[in-house]
Amino acid sequence: MRRWLVSALLLLQVVALTSAAEQQVLETTEDTTANLNPTAETDVVQGEQYQWTPYQNGWELVHEAMTEFRKIKPPTFRKTRRQLGLFGTLLQYAAKALPSLRASAPPQEHAPPVITGPLLEGVQLLQQSADQNNTDAIYLLAQLNFFGNYSHPRNFKTAFDHYYRLASYGNSSAQYMVGLMYATGLGDAVERDQAKALLYHTFAANAGHTRSEMTVAARHMSGIGVPKSCEMASKYYKRVADKAMAWFRSGPPGGMAIIPEAHRLSDEFGGVFGQGASVASSGINALKAGGSSHDYAAIDDVIEYLDLMSQKGDFKASFNLGRLYYEGQRGLDRNVELARRYFTAVTTMYWRSKDGRTVDQPKPQLEKYASKAAGYIGRMWLRGEGVRQDFKIARGWFERGIKHGDAQSQWGLGMMNLHGLGIPKNVSQATELFKASADQDFSLAHVALGTLHLDQGTPDDLKIANSYFEAAVRWANIEAQYYLAEMIHHGVGRDKTCAMAMSFYKNVAEKAEPLVSSWAEANQAYEDGDYELAFLDYLIAAEQGYDKAQENVAFMLDPTQSRLPLPSWLNRLPPKPKLLQNPGLALIYWTRSAIQSNIDSMVKMGDYYLYGIGTEAALDKAAQCYTGASEYFQSAQALYNLGWMHENGVGLNQDFHLAKRYYDQALETNEEAYLPVTLSLLKLRVRSAWNTFTHGRVNSIQDEPSPKKDWSLSEWIANFLQEDNIYYEDGYEDLYDDGAIAGSDGEPLGDNFDDLDGVVESLIILGLVAAILLLMYYRARRQQAHRQAEEEAAQRGNQPGGVGLAPQRPQAPQGGLFPPPGGPDFGMWAGGAVGH
């Protein structure tokens, strides 16, 4: 009996373990299915408050529902978005102008959504499981209604009810979504309430939800629903940055490969206000090729051209193709297999495939590109990208590149020596290789050297580590930014500065896009034409503090993207979905983007306040926005708007003179504003002339007074000598050798000789002046003595022979050194006449 009881207990334990294993398999399958769905939310949660129990009621129904969902074929059509040229745009508008011969029924505005087939079966199964309080079913139903997965119609009110129910159980993902809906008021499911949003995000962030941590940090940084606090923002950004670095370092040697997906939708049109009118495409930014500039080309066209040149034997084109496919970019997935093929094509042009010897008479510059290609191939073997990881083969390629001074090869072999990958550890050899690579400004080598010096911990080593990290930050290296953030945050080798540490932590967190953001899903949905789903994913990233996502959300909601009124027969674009008709929410995100120093967003804020879009008209706030955007002549659009407000007396005092000044500054800021500024100035001058003629009260245009200054004699002489020196230096500076004369100690003496020459010239001038004065004094005394002698002789000749008193001779006037002006001798003295 006892044996039977023991056997029964063991059998029950086996059954329990088997059931637990099946539940784990079910959860794994569900997670895999969610990851395959591009609209699924990927979260990193540490320390989840609510623990998922392995024996939830209704788990069989959830499993059957997922089976039904797998029967739904995802849409395979992908709309390509290629830039249209001038003729393409004209043809597009011409096609719209042609009459349409289709006959269609009136649109049904409130057609009830109908779901059928496997989707209906799956939803019913999930609802039955949710009635049994199965948390998986509740969460999946909420996701279906919020994101519209598997073409399920969106119902934000139903989604909120499911999220709110699950959040009450302590689920951090549901708490995050409840906070998101309270923050945005999506679909009028709930009233917008920033206090409740912060509450739920704080609950989720304290449970370790990554996106909530970023959201709370962004709110403390910008003061959204809470007073600004650098310490709190830095605290939460540091949490995310720590996770980001743990994820980054979990990859192969060198870290995870990150393809930046964040971008602005408005860049495809030259900015928020169009090409040339936006700050993003005017001024210094006009030098950058934008989406609508003539220098822009689609990535497909670039690859097609480079591939054609590569087939003709152009090794530069082959190398550039390899880099494009290896690094990847938005719109171009990484393809390491194809990248290695192009790199190999470059190396075989320089090294023979049989024995690895250099070919005879290689093409010019082929050595340089072959060594770089060898560095990339070695990096692939080192990291196991597209090939089986093999340190021996990687070392062979790195050694080839090092012979010709390739920086990446030096870094790669240094990493192998540092960590003992396939070779014995040799830190000194690794340091030498890192230094050689860092001398060529290779950012990964800077980080490696900075880490080695940081580990030493001495004050001198900390200074050197700081300099290496700052050099790597110039190339936006995520690891260098994290090290600098840690040093500043803890005051190690740097002064503790909260704002700077928070900025670095924020950059690190935002760069780990695959881990923390929905950028990839948003871009994919936008490319596919599913603008509502793209809007939701951009909204999630915007709440996390991404400036570009905030602008994208506002740009998609903006009802005033074009001020050009088109006739009804030409403007046949379908109306925006109701989800994208929310100007009040657009103003919120224009404001948040402007807080992060987005000038175009600040001008948009002014437009909304000026015209009362999404809010009541507030002319004073509009003027403040335009004034802030026009500081340092950053936005010609803002300067023009300020001129218009002064011209018409809208929100500012009517002043034609100030209006002209702002119009002129707008033209100085952006030369492309020539036509609107010229027309506005013409109209303004007419109004100003009429105002002057009728003696109006408005301040008319006046000539700007030319600045004049009363120069003293010393200032006039100094300016004259300075201009004289500039004249001679400009004409003769280049005719002489720039080499300086060296003294006995080898130091140049140019500056000392310049000072000595000035002293000598001064002494010579003073000596000449003294000699001239002495000669003039001597001549004046001689003339005076000569006149006295003549007068005495004349008096002696006129006297009679008798004895008597001679008449007293009148005294010569005592004129001093020079004859007085107006005297009989002054003209002769001034003319220098001598002949007596």
Side-chain angles (χ1 to χ4, degrees):
M1 184 68 180
R2 186 178 299 176
R3 291 182 179 179
W4 181 84
L5 181 59
V6 173
S7 301
L9 291 175
L10 291 176
L11 182 60
L12 290 175
Q13 186 177 4
V14 170
V15 171
L17 292 174
T18 304
S19 300
E22 290 178 356
Q23 177 68 16
Q24 291 177 357
V25 171
L26 173 61
E27 291 178 358
T28 305
T29 305
E30 291 172 358
D31 293 340
T32 305
T33 306
N35 290 333
L36 291 175
N37 184 6
T39 63
E41 181 188 7
T42 56
D43 299 319
V44 178
V45 181
Q46 294 181 358
E48 182 76 43
Q49 284 185 353
Y50 182 79
Q51 299 297 330
W52 299 89
T53 59
Y55 301 106
Q56 295 190 70
N57 296 327
W59 66 268
E60 304 93 344
L61 298 174
V62 175
H63 181 73
E64 293 177 9
M66 297 305 302
T67 304
E68 293 295 329
F69 290 151
R70 293 190 191 96
K71 298 178 183 178
I72 303 174
K73 295 182 179 179
T76 57
F77 174 75
R78 179 176 179 180
K79 183 172 65 176
T80 58
R81 298 173 53 86
R82 300 191 59 166
Q83 298 294 329
L84 297 177
L86 177 61
F87 294 102
T89 305
L90 292 177
L91 289 175
Q92 184 181 16
Y93 278 104
K96 291 181 180 180
L98 294 176
S100 176
L101 301 179
R102 294 179 301 172
S104 58
Q108 298 181 4
E109 297 182 358
H110 302 286
V114 178
I115 57 176
T116 58
L119 179 59
L120 179 59
E121 295 293 334
V123 171
Q124 291 177 348
L125 291 170
L126 287 179
Q127 189 61 52
Q128 295 174 14
S129 179
D131 293 339
Q132 302 179 30
N133 291 330
N134 186 284
T135 53
D136 292 338
I138 299 173
Y139 187 77
L140 288 174
L141 284 172
Q143 294 287 89
L144 286 172
N145 284 276
F146 187 88
F147 290 102
N149 298 344
Y150 303 109
S151 301
H152 189 282
R154 293 186 180 89
N155 190 326
F156 294 106
K157 184 67 174 68
T158 303
F160 178 80
D161 292 339
H162 289 304
Y163 284 133
Y164 189 81
R165 176 185 176 186
L166 192 57
S168 62
Y169 297 157
N171 181 272
S172 63
S173 297
Q175 290 170 345
Y176 165 75
M177 295 302 296
V178 171
L180 175 68
M181 299 190 73
Y182 270 123
T184 58
L186 279 174
D188 297 328
V190 291
E191 186 178 355
R192 194 181 301 131
D193 191 328
Q194 302 300 335
K196 291 183 179 180
L198 180 63
L199 178 66
Y200 278 97
H201 280 307
T202 304
F203 285 154
N206 292 336
H209 194 279
T210 306
R211 291 183 179 178
S212 282
E213 288 174 336
M214 286 192 68
T215 304
V216 173
R219 286 175 171 266
H220 281 287
M221 180 189 70
S222 302
I224 302 173
V226 67
K228 287 186 178 181
S229 175
C230 178
E231 290 75 13
M232 293 296 294
S234 180
K235 168 188 173 182
Y236 284 103
Y237 272 131
K238 175 175 168 52
R239 289 185 184 181
V240 183
D242 292 340
K243 296 178 185 178
M245 288 311 302
W247 168 79
F248 178 78
R249 292 167 177 169
S250 65
M256 299 288 289
I258 301 176
I259 301 177
E261 294 282 349
H263 76 290
R264 291 184 172 89
L265 297 177
S266 61
D267 287 346
E268 299 179 2
F269 310 97
V272 172
F273 297 98
Q275 184 69 29
S278 307
V279 175
S281 59
S282 63
I284 190 174
N285 296 320
L287 302 176
K288 305 175 183 179
S292 58
S293 66
H294 298 291
D295 299 333
Y296 178 83
I299 187 63
D300 296 336
D301 298 334
V302 173
I303 290 178
E304 183 179 356
Y305 170 76
L306 291 177
D307 185 64
L308 177 62
M309 299 302 296
S310 176
Q311 293 176 8
K312 294 182 178 180
D314 189 343
F315 57 87
K316 295 181 181 179
S318 300
F319 176 77
N320 289 328
L321 275 172
R323 285 191 59 182
L324 283 174
Y325 280 114
Y326 179 78
E327 296 175 356
Q329 63 180 35
R330 185 177 61 86
L332 179 66
D333 297 332
R334 294 187 76 215
N335 191 333
V336 291
E337 291 281 354
L338 198 54
R340 185 165 58 89
R341 189 182 308 169
Y342 282 111
F343 287 139
T344 304
V346 178
T347 56
T348 52
M349 294 182 186
Y350 187 75
W351 290 292
R352 294 188 178 95
S353 301
K354 295 182 180 180
D355 53 6
R357 298 177 60 185
T358 307
V359 299
D360 298 332
Q361 296 180 352
K363 297 180 181 179
Q365 295 187 348
L366 178 58
E367 172 187 346
K368 172 184 176 183
Y369 284 90
S371 63
K372 290 181 177 293
Y376 275 103
I377 296 175
R379 185 173 181 176
M380 292 180 186
W381 285 101
L382 174 66
R383 294 167 54 87
E385 295 175 321
V387 293
R388 178 180 53 84
Q389 192 175 36
D390 194 318
F391 298 136
K392 183 177 180 181
I393 299 178
R395 179 183 179 184
W397 283 108
F398 285 146
E399 289 176 348
R400 284 189 181 187
I402 288 175
K403 290 181 180 179
H404 303 284
D406 176 56
Q408 184 168 213
S409 299
Q410 293 166 343
W411 166 81
L413 192 57
M415 291 292 291
M416 297 180 68
N417 280 276
L418 180 63
H419 300 289
L421 304 176
I423 56 177
K425 291 184 65 173
N426 191 335
V427 179
S428 60
Q429 182 66 22
T431 303
E432 294 299 325
L433 290 169
F434 288 147
K435 288 182 178 179
S437 179
D439 290 340
Q440 302 183 55
D441 206 11
F442 193 69
S443 62
L444 296 178
H446 286 302
V447 175
L449 283 173
T451 306
L452 290 174
H453 284 283
L454 185 63
D455 292 339
Q456 300 301 317
T458 63
D460 292 337
D461 285 310
L462 292 177
K463 292 181 181 179
I464 297 174
N466 179 71
S467 63
Y468 279 124
F469 291 143
E470 288 182 345
V473 163
R474 293 184 294 110
W475 300 99
N477 186 282
I478 182 174
E479 203 169 4
Q481 291 179 339
Y482 179 75
Y483 277 120
L484 284 178
E486 289 285 274
M487 293 177 68
I488 298 172
H489 178 72
H490 297 287
V492 177
R494 296 281 297 263
D495 294 334
K496 295 186 67 173
T497 307
C498 180
M500 187 174 295
M502 180 193 66
S503 176
F504 280 124
Y505 281 135
K506 182 176 185 291
N507 291 338
V508 173
E510 291 183 350
K511 282 183 176 298
E513 294 174 3
L515 177 71
V516 302
S517 73
S518 56
W519 275 105
E521 295 86 353
N523 294 339
Q524 183 64 57
Y526 191 82
E527 293 290 331
D528 293 341
D530 192 349
Y531 298 122
E532 292 189 20
L533 178 59
F535 167 75
L536 293 175
D537 287 322
Y538 285 135
L539 187 65
I540 292 174
E543 281 294 306
Q544 294 176 245
Y546 284 93
D547 166 43
K548 295 179 180 179
Q550 292 169 348
E551 182 183 312
N552 289 351
V553 171
F555 184 73
M556 295 183 72
L557 296 173
D558 185 23
T560 61
Q561 292 184 4
S562 176
R563 287 288 181 183
L564 180 63
L566 297 177
S568 59
W569 55 270
L570 185 58
N571 189 10
R572 297 183 179 180
L573 294 177
K576 285 186 176 182
K578 185 179 180 181
L579 182 62
L580 301 182
Q581 298 178 13
N582 195 338
L585 191 62
L587 177 59
I588 290 176
Y589 285 101
W590 285 129
T591 305
R592 295 182 184 179
S593 178
I595 292 175
Q596 300 195 60
S597 303
N598 189 315
I599 303 300
D600 287 331
S601 296
M602 191 175 297
V603 179
K604 268 293 183 181
M605 282 180 58
D607 293 346
Y608 276 51
Y609 285 120
L610 179 64
Y611 297 104
I613 303 174
T615 183
E616 296 181 359
L619 301 181
D620 54 341
K621 293 183 179 180
Q624 291 176 4
C625 292
Y626 294 144
T627 303
S630 64
E631 290 182 354
Y632 307 108
F633 303 96
Q634 295 187 61
S635 175
Q637 183 70 46
L639 290 166
Y640 182 88
N641 292 349
L642 286 173
W644 180 87
M645 295 179 73
H646 273 296
E647 178 185 357
N648 297 280
V650 178
L652 295 173
N653 294 330
Q654 192 172 15
D655 192 321
F656 293 152
H657 185 70
L658 284 179
K660 178 182 179 299
R661 180 176 298 176
Y662 280 115
Y663 284 146
D664 292 339
Q665 291 177 353
L667 184 58
E668 292 177 5
T669 304
N670 186 3
E671 296 179 353
E672 296 187 21
Y674 174 79
L675 181 59
V677 169
T678 302
L679 295 177
S680 299
L681 285 174
L682 180 61
K683 182 187 68 172
L684 180 64
R685 287 188 179 278
V686 172
R687 295 184 64 180
S688 177
W690 178 255
N691 177 74
T692 303
F693 179 74
T694 58
H695 302 287
R697 298 180 180 180
V698 183
N699 184 24
S700 299
I701 299 177
Q702 304 173 4
D703 294 334
E704 295 286 350
S706 58
K708 294 182 179 180
K709 181 179 179 180
D710 296 332
W711 300 98
S712 63
L713 179 61
S714 59
E715 291 177 341
W716 186 89
I717 294 175
N719 291 332
F720 175 79
L721 294 177
Q722 182 178 4
E723 293 178 359
D724 186 66
N725 292 335
I726 294 175
Y727 171 79
Y728 285 107
E729 288 176 0
D730 292 343
Y732 301 98
E733 185 180 25
D734 298 334
L735 298 180
Y736 299 98
D737 187 14
D738 293 335
I741 303 175
S744 59
D745 56 352
E747 296 294 331
L749 301 178
D751 296 337
N752 296 331
F753 275 125
D754 292 340
D755 297 339
L756 183 60
D757 291 341
V759 174
V760 172
E761 290 178 359
S762 301
L763 293 177
I764 292 174
I765 292 173
L766 293 175
L768 291 175
V769 171
I772 292 173
L773 292 176
L774 183 62
L775 290 174
M776 292 173 64
Y777 174 77
Y778 176 72
R779 187 185 66 174
R781 298 299 299 174
R782 289 290 303 271
Q783 290 177 353
Q784 185 177 6
H786 183 70
R787 286 195 300 271
Q788 290 178 356
E790 287 182 349
E791 290 177 358
E792 291 177 356
Q795 290 178 1
R796 287 195 298 268
N798 292 332
Q799 289 180 356
V803 180
L805 293 175
Q808 188 174 0
R809 177 178 59 87
Q811 277 189 338
Q814 299 296 326
L817 179 61
F818 305 108
D825 299 330
F826 180 77
M828 185 180 300
W829 172 84
V834 179
H836 295 283

